Amino acid sequence: SEMCIRDRAHGELGVGLALARLGRGAAAREITDRALRRAETLPVAPWWEHGHAGRALVFAELAHLLDLPDAAAAAQAHTEACLTVLDHAVRASRIGAADQPTPGGTPEDTDAGDHVDIQLPGDLEDLETALGHAPGLLRGWAGVALALLRLADLHPGEPGRRLAAAAVRAIRLDARHTSFVHGALTARHGPRLLPYLGVGAAAIGLAAHCALERQDHWATAQPTPDRTPE
């Protein structure tokens, strides 16, 4: 189907990562090389699902497991694009932290046009609508945060600290959509209040937990030397 063709690279990368984790290095390299060779327009959305955050994470994991410089370069490109959209959203939100540095520089010297090819709306609600936002893991800032936290694990020292700081800003954006109902945290999506992981408050709580759990870890963490054999 058209959907399968359009999403093929995204699906291939997931298969490649699974194979790499299972020790099938040669097959994983073949899939990764094919995805890297395919000329694609970078997705504008920053999300975990079919967006910059998910692709940055899977390329970074493949680069780490298989020692692939081209995958590392692709991960960096998607990371920068994700951070550019995130920074634009933070400034549009007017909820503070816009002066925090990102791996690509400061908000003052980072232009949203550097890594995305459309004009992004200046109002946060309009921006989220345009990008298909839904609070949670798949199409929410919580998913962006979780991807950035894992990327921080793979980039110790100052790069990791900056990625972690960006993750906290992403969590704050999705936290705007939460409320407590009978003592339980829920996320608003349209008329619904949802507790779920894919779309809902569970991912926001998970991202906040991971950020707090790792706050003393980023400065000293080193990537695990777990290369996958041929």
Side-chain angles (χ1 to χ4, degrees):
S1 69
E2 290 184 4
M3 179 62 74
C4 290
I5 294 171
R6 185 162 63 248
D7 292 340
R8 183 179 175 189
H10 178 88
E12 276 188 335
L13 288 173
V15 172
L17 181 56
L19 289 171
R21 289 289 185 187
L22 292 170
R24 301 289 296 276
R29 284 185 175 86
E30 181 181 350
I31 290 174
T32 306
D33 288 344
R34 186 161 61 241
L36 288 167
R37 288 196 304 269
R38 184 178 293 107
E40 287 191 289
T41 301
L42 288 176
V44 172
W47 313 132
W48 181 290
E49 180 182 52
H50 308 310
H52 292 302
R55 294 187 182 202
L57 181 56
V58 73
F59 272 126
E61 294 278 12
L62 286 165
H64 173 58
L65 290 168
L66 303 176
D67 195 17
L68 297 175
D70 289 346
Q76 180 63 26
H78 283 288
T79 300
E80 291 174 353
C82 180
L83 290 170
T84 296
V85 181
L86 171 60
D87 177 69
H88 184 86
V90 168
R91 284 182 287 175
S93 74
R94 300 185 180 90
I95 60 174
D99 58 346
Q100 295 288 339
T102 66
T106 64
E108 288 75 21
D109 62 24
T110 301
D111 187 345
D114 289 346
H115 302 293
V116 296
D117 57 3
I118 66 167
Q119 185 66 38
L120 297 174
D123 177 79
L124 180 58
E125 184 175 347
D126 291 342
L127 174 67
E128 291 183 338
T129 298
L131 295 175
H133 170 268
L137 174 67
L138 298 179
R139 290 179 287 115
W141 302 111
V144 171
L146 286 165
L148 291 173
L149 289 171
R150 175 55 184 155
L151 289 167
D153 288 343
L154 297 173
H155 297 84
E158 185 60 24
R161 286 194 295 271
R162 289 178 171 178
L163 288 166
V168 171
R169 298 197 293 278
I171 294 168
R172 289 172 176 165
L173 288 175
D174 252 6
R176 295 165 40 256
H177 297 276
T178 61
S179 60
F180 282 92
V181 178
H182 302 300
L185 184 68
T186 62
R188 297 181 302 276
H189 182 48
R192 298 178 296 170
L193 295 172
L194 303 174
Y196 308 120
L197 182 66
V199 179
I204 303 169
L206 177 62
H209 171 78
C210 290
L212 290 170
E213 186 179 55
R214 301 180 187 194
Q215 62 184 349
D216 296 325
H217 174 70
W218 297 310
T220 58
Q222 296 292 329
T224 304
D226 54 352
R227 305 292 186 212
T228 300
E230 288 285 352

